[in-house]
């Protein structure tokens, strides 16, 4: 997936300083039932919808159909990982049996999405899902190591974090989590 990839940069305005950071969060008027129904129909995880949407934002902003962003991964395939309340990430310096809440480390891997002309949203979302499944074997790889092996210093400068939360308001449908 990363063969022949080029570093991807979010387009900055001419008055933006190099140290400027931008963070955004957006609540959509989509019910969890609509999200769940779409995911069942396309046989994908809700994260794929967000990744496809972010890829489209990046593609439109940069006028490029080949985008790369950092993707935070959960590391849930480790033995005993389901016992933890937060994300679980492996460090090559920590054996599995020494994990505690204070030794959980975060990890980010690159997510490359190429948007083809005339591609349907369904095809895009299903391809994102396949890429995520393929990336499972790389979820513990260091981003620095991946970048070094590709011969680049910084592969991307945006980050996608899918973080489902329980809905707390009436308009979001009560106290039920997304899944």
């Amino acid at each position: 997936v990363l063969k022949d990839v080029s570093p991807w940069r979010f387009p900055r305005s001419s008055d933006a300083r190099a140290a400027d950071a931008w963070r955004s969060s957006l609540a959509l008027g989509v019910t969890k039932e609509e999200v769940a129904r779409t995911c069942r129909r396309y046989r994908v995880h809700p994260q794929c919808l967000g990744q496809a949407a972010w890829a489209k934002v990046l593609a439109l902003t940069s006028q490029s159909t080949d985008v790369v962003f950092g993707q935070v991964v959960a590391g849930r395939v480790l033995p005993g990982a389901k016992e933890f309340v937060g994300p679980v990430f492996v460090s090559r310096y920590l054996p599995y049996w020494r994990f505690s809440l204070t030794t959980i480390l975060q990890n980010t891997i690159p997510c490359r999405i190429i948007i083809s002309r005339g591609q349907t949203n369904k095809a895009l979302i299903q391809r994102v899902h396949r890429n995520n499944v393929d990336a499972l074997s790389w979820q513990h790889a260091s981003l620095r190591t991946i970048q070094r092996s590709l011969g680049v210093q910084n592969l991307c400068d945006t980050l996608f974090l899918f973080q489902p939360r329980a809905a707390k308001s009436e308009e979001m449908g009560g106290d039920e989590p997304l899944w």
Side-chain angles (χ1 to χ4, degrees):
V1 174
L2 295 177
K3 184 180 181 193
D4 300 322
V5 69
S6 297
W8 195 92
R9 302 281 176 264
F10 192 83
R12 306 276 188 241
S13 66
S14 59
D15 62 340
R17 295 185 321 243
D20 287 347
W22 180 68
R23 178 179 173 223
S24 180
S25 181
L26 177 65
L28 301 175
V30 179
T31 67
K32 63 185 175 187
E33 289 80 15
E34 291 171 309
V35 170
R37 186 173 45 251
T38 300
C39 291
R40 276 193 310 273
R41 184 177 339 132
Y42 294 162
R43 296 184 175 164
V44 299
H45 188 276
Q47 174 177 326
C48 301
L49 299 177
Q51 287 173 291
W54 185 237
K56 283 191 164 199
V57 166
L58 297 179
L60 287 171
T61 304
S62 67
Q63 297 184 1
S64 172
T65 57
D66 188 352
V67 298
V68 180
F69 53 89
Q71 167 184 330
V72 176
V73 289
R76 293 288 177 185
V77 297
L78 295 175
K82 292 181 182 178
E83 305 302 318
F84 290 98
V85 177
V88 178
F89 301 96
V90 172
S91 167
R92 60 188 167 133
Y93 305 109
L94 296 172
Y96 296 154
W97 61 87
R98 293 190 57 201
F99 270 94
S100 70
L101 289 178
T102 59
T103 59
I104 295 174
L105 304 174
Q106 295 184 3
N107 196 24
T108 300
I109 60 173
C111 178
R112 180 185 192 188
I113 298 177
I114 300 171
I115 300 173
S116 304
R117 179 175 281 256
Q119 181 179 38
T120 65
N121 286 329
K122 177 182 178 180
L124 175 63
I125 292 165
Q126 288 176 331
R127 186 158 39 103
V128 169
H129 175 74
R130 284 190 305 275
N131 288 351
N132 286 345
V133 171
D134 292 344
L136 284 174
S137 62
W138 296 99
Q139 67 183 330
H140 305 298
S142 155
L143 181 58
R144 185 173 295 162
T145 302
I146 293 169
Q147 291 175 147
R148 192 177 305 128
S149 70
L150 293 170
V152 298
Q153 188 171 4
N154 293 312
L155 187 56
C156 55
D157 66 352
T158 69
L159 181 68
F160 179 85
L161 172 62
F162 179 76
Q163 196 168 19
R165 62 183 174 89
K168 301 282 185 202
S169 64
E170 282 297 315
E171 62 267 5
M172 293 297 287
D175 292 326
E176 296 289 320
L178 185 57
W179 61 82

